[in-house]
Amino acid sequence: QVQLVESGGGLVQPGGSLRLSCAASGRFFSINAMGWYRQTPGKQRELVAHITSGGSTNYADSVKGRFTISRDNAKNTVSLQMNVLKPEDTAVYSCTANVRVRVGYSIGYWGQGTQVTVSS
């Protein structure tokens, strides 16, 4: 069983910063891609940022230049540094990881989500 546990959400004023972290634990060989998604009530979940095992990244257009995704393969963690936050960034943020649980077989896992609220 693999678990993803997020931390770092909270309330921040517009223009502020937050850093989200997600740690994977359990029994597995390695982690392929990792990412962050967000969702607000009544809207579809959207990809915020994605990072491959080799460190290649991509971002939603709405967060480019403001958010930075990074990972520590030794610690099995992924982080999302969010700067210049806007009210429209308010959402539940969830991390995801594609985990190689045995040779030739990978499964996608999700964290429980953490609330980010941007408001004055």
Side-chain angles (χ1 to χ4, degrees):
Q1 185 70 13
V2 176
Q3 288 187 326
L4 300 179
V5 179
E6 299 116 333
S7 61
L11 173 65
V12 64
Q13 293 187 339
S17 298
L18 278 177
R19 184 177 180 86
L20 305 182
S21 295
C22 175
S25 62
R27 294 176 61 88
F28 51 89
F29 281 108
S30 61
I31 301 177
N32 301 318
M34 305 182 82
W36 289 92
Y37 283 73
R38 66 186 181 187
Q39 188 169 24
T40 55
K43 290 188 177 181
Q44 282 191 329
R45 181 183 291 171
E46 66 168 343
L47 174 68
V48 177
H50 174 270
I51 185 167
T52 68
S53 57
S56 296
T57 60
N58 69 283
Y59 297 91
D61 287 343
S62 59
V63 307
K64 282 181 181 176
R66 299 188 298 122
F67 291 11
T68 301
I69 189 171
S70 61
R71 64 188 286 173
D72 184 330
N73 291 332
K75 296 181 179 179
N76 297 317
T77 60
V78 62
S79 297
L80 185 68
Q81 178 66 42
M82 305 185 292
N83 298 327
V84 195
L85 282 159
K86 305 175 181 180
E88 51 264 42
D89 294 318
T90 296
V92 175
Y93 285 71
S94 300
C95 73
T96 183
N98 184 264
V99 181
R100 187 174 294 117
V101 294
R102 60 176 183 265
V103 176
Y105 187 61
S106 297
I107 303 175
Y109 289 92
W110 289 87
Q112 80 284 358
T114 185
Q115 177 70 45
V116 171
T117 302
V118 184
S119 175
S120 55

